[in-house]
Amino acid sequence: MSPRVLITGGAGFIGSHLAEAFLAAGYEVTILDNLSTGRFENIAHLVGQPGFRFALASIQNAIVLDRLASEADVIVHLAAAVGVQLIVERPVHTIETNIMGTEAVLQAAARYRAKVVLASTSEVYGKGVRVPFREDDDVVLGPTDKSRWAYAASKMVDEFLALAYYREKGLPVVIARLFNTVGPRQTGRYGMVVPRFVSQALRGLPITVYGDGKQSRCFCDVSDTVRALMGLARHPDAVGRVFNVGSREEITIRELAERVLAVTGSRSPIEFVPYDRAYAPGFEDMARRVPDTSRIEALLGWHPQVPLDTILARVAAWMQAQPDVPAY
Ligand code: UDP
């Protein structure tokens, strides 16, 4: 019998790519998504393929979740409130979706002893200044009156809860801390910088660099992230552990803007937008964010393979293939 995977949030950017990869590897794939930020267009091409199912429901629909968990060998839990903009604008939704949703998934998985791969985030490193970030580093979050940190805190609770299910109930769980992941199908609607810059470049609009643009990130292609998630889902020794998943190719946001202009051949100007105007007053950004990936390298021999220019070219090609270049 084929192995069966349930992907919560599978109609989203990462989930839709993951679903394709699991299908190609011979899995039966079920996606559970309420299409709140996910999009049916991301998975429309999978509908009708043998071994593929799509359930349009929330992870907080206990009846649907129970049924699907009972039919899964592994659950990759991606459903979450994502995107800094969304998090700042809708903190109640963020906290409730992330904490109650994960609790529901773990409870359902525990009833049927399905393995859970929890997608966490590099946000949990908060304002840590010792880069690269290692899985066992201390974390430094900002105060509770800054909504941004609610996301990190909610994901930390998810991690604690998953590890508690592992230790106390023997549930096999794996935690993947995803760093900035980019590629085709990612939307810029919730703040993500790469689709925003590429869209601005293709439309000839100013590239909106927040702050002074000296903050840096490492951008990992979604195909590399998907390979890591599949490897973690399959490897027995990943269970009970936390893994960073991300690229080590660090770039400042200002340089990113220039690379986007070069790759797209755009003449858009670069516009520096103060943080207070981009987000809420008092918004705190992370200066640098680089993963230490030695743990996943040691277990799986995993390395990101797609360089940034290739990623940007792919995102631009995907956007140009849309009926309209999306405007963010
Ligand atoms: N950013 C920017 N212009 C935009 C959107 C984002 O300069 O239009 C910056 C943002 O302030 C951050 C970086 O790009 O420093 C990455 O932002 P994103 O929201 O993609 O991910 P984050 O790493 O902050 O979660």
Side-chain angles (χ1 to χ4, degrees), residues 76-127:
V76 184
H77 178 42
L78 289 165
V82 288
V84 175
Q85 205 168 306
L86 181 73
I87 283 143
V88 171
E89 282 164 14
R90 298 187 58 201
V92 173
H93 169 79
T94 299
I95 298 168
E96 291 187 351
T97 305
N98 291 357
I99 295 182
M100 287 148 78
T102 298
E103 185 183 24
V105 167
L106 290 167
Q107 281 175 350
R111 280 196 288 277
Y112 303 102
R113 312 225 46 85
K115 187 178 196 175
V116 176
V117 179
L118 171 74
S120 185
T121 166
S122 56
E123 279 275 324
V124 300
Y125 291 104
K127 298 191 272 189

Side-chain angles (χ1 to χ4, degrees), residues 148 180 191-193 196 208 210 215 217 253 285 289:
R148 170 175 203 150
N180 297 66
M192 279 73 164
V193 68
R196 286 175 58 87
T208 55
Y210 297 162
Q215 70 274 31
R217 294 292 187 270
I253 298 303
D285 199 6
R289 191 190 265 167

Side-chain angles (χ1 to χ4, degrees), residues 83-85 87 121-123 148 151 179-182 186 188 190-197 200 207-211 213-219 253-254 256 271 273 275 278-279 283-287 289:
V84 175
Q85 205 168 306
I87 283 143
T121 166
S122 56
E123 279 275 324
R148 170 175 203 150
Y151 179 55
F179 285 64
N180 297 66
T181 304
V182 291
Q186 184 176 37
Y190 310 106
M192 279 73 164
V193 68
V194 165
R196 286 175 58 87
F197 282 7
Q200 289 162 346
I207 310 281
T208 55
V209 172
Y210 297 162
K214 293 202 176 106
Q215 70 274 31
S216 68
R217 294 292 187 270
C218 301
F219 295 96
I253 298 303
R254 172 162 196 164
L256 175 71
E271 182 186 316
V273 180
Y275 281 116
Y279 303 106
F283 179 83
E284 295 182 87
D285 199 6
M286 252 77 87
R289 191 190 265 167

Side-chain angles (χ1 to χ4, degrees), residues 5-328:
V5 61
L6 170 63
I7 306 176
T8 71
F13 155 56
I14 298 176
S16 62
H17 288 278
L18 187 66
E20 284 170 5
F22 269 118
L23 279 172
Y27 279 69
E28 283 182 21
V29 175
T30 302
I31 283 177
L32 173 61
D33 201 302
N34 65 355
L35 300 182
S36 58
T37 54
R39 285 153 34 101
F40 183 73
E41 297 91 285
N42 290 342
I43 54 166
H45 61 293
L46 301 179
V47 174
Q49 279 198 28
F52 178 76
R53 283 194 302 183
F54 170 50
L56 172 59
S58 159
I59 45 171
Q60 297 194 50
N61 181 328
I63 294 168
V64 174
L65 181 62
D66 183 83
R67 162 86 187 275
L68 297 183
S70 76
E71 296 166 353
D73 303 306
V74 51
I75 302 174
V76 184
H77 178 42
L78 289 165
V82 288
V84 175
Q85 205 168 306
L86 181 73
I87 283 143
V88 171
E89 282 164 14
R90 298 187 58 201
V92 173
H93 169 79
T94 299
I95 298 168
E96 291 187 351
T97 305
N98 291 357
I99 295 182
M100 287 148 78
T102 298
E103 185 183 24
V105 167
L106 290 167
Q107 281 175 350
R111 280 196 288 277
Y112 303 102
R113 312 225 46 85
K115 187 178 196 175
V116 176
V117 179
L118 171 74
S120 185
T121 166
S122 56
E123 279 275 324
V124 300
Y125 291 104
K127 298 191 272 189
V129 285
R130 202 182 70 181
V131 285
F133 296 146
R134 273 172 43 135
E135 291 88 344
D136 52 4
D137 279 343
D138 290 341
V139 301
V140 187
L141 301 188
T144 50
D145 63 0
K146 302 232 159 71
S147 292
R148 170 175 203 150
W149 304 113
Y151 179 55
S154 69
K155 282 301 208 173
M156 281 182 72
V157 172
D158 287 356
E159 290 196 17
F160 278 126
L161 199 58
L163 292 171
Y165 268 80
Y166 168 67
R167 290 190 188 127
E168 218 177 298
K169 298 176 190 278
L171 183 71
V173 304
V174 185
I175 294 169
R177 283 189 186 153
L178 306 186
F179 285 64
N180 297 66
T181 304
V182 291
R185 300 188 197 138
Q186 184 176 37
T187 168
R189 229 178 309 155
Y190 310 106
M192 279 73 164
V193 68
V194 165
R196 286 175 58 87
F197 282 7
V198 173
S199 151
Q200 289 162 346
L202 293 176
R203 294 164 64 87
L205 298 172
I207 310 281
T208 55
V209 172
Y210 297 162
D212 60 9
K214 293 202 176 106
Q215 70 274 31
S216 68
R217 294 292 187 270
C218 301
F219 295 96
C220 188
D221 187 70
V222 64
S223 64
D224 286 322
T225 305
V226 159
R227 224 168 11 90
L229 288 172
M230 286 187 72
L232 292 174
R234 290 162 128 170
H235 202 300
D237 297 341
V239 168
R241 303 175 71 196
V242 180
F243 295 87
N244 285 339
V245 175
S247 155
R248 303 286 312 267
E249 193 184 339
E250 188 178 7
I251 185 168
T252 68
I253 298 303
R254 172 162 196 164
E255 283 163 355
L256 175 71
E258 280 155 9
R259 293 274 278 276
V260 167
L261 290 176
V263 165
T264 56
S266 165
R267 296 216 188 138
S268 286
I270 293 178
E271 182 186 316
F272 291 90
V273 180
Y275 281 116
D276 283 5
R277 197 141 53 83
Y279 303 106
F283 179 83
E284 295 182 87
D285 199 6
M286 252 77 87
R288 288 180 75 191
R289 191 190 265 167
V290 183
D292 178 322
T293 47
S294 40
R295 189 176 283 185
I296 189 170
E297 280 170 29
L299 185 73
L300 302 178
W302 177 87
H303 298 276
Q305 287 170 353
V306 187
L308 184 60
D309 281 344
T310 308
I311 301 176
L312 296 177
R314 284 182 188 171
V315 172
W318 170 76
M319 274 193 192
Q320 283 172 309
Q322 305 304 299
D324 296 303
V325 172
Y328 304 119

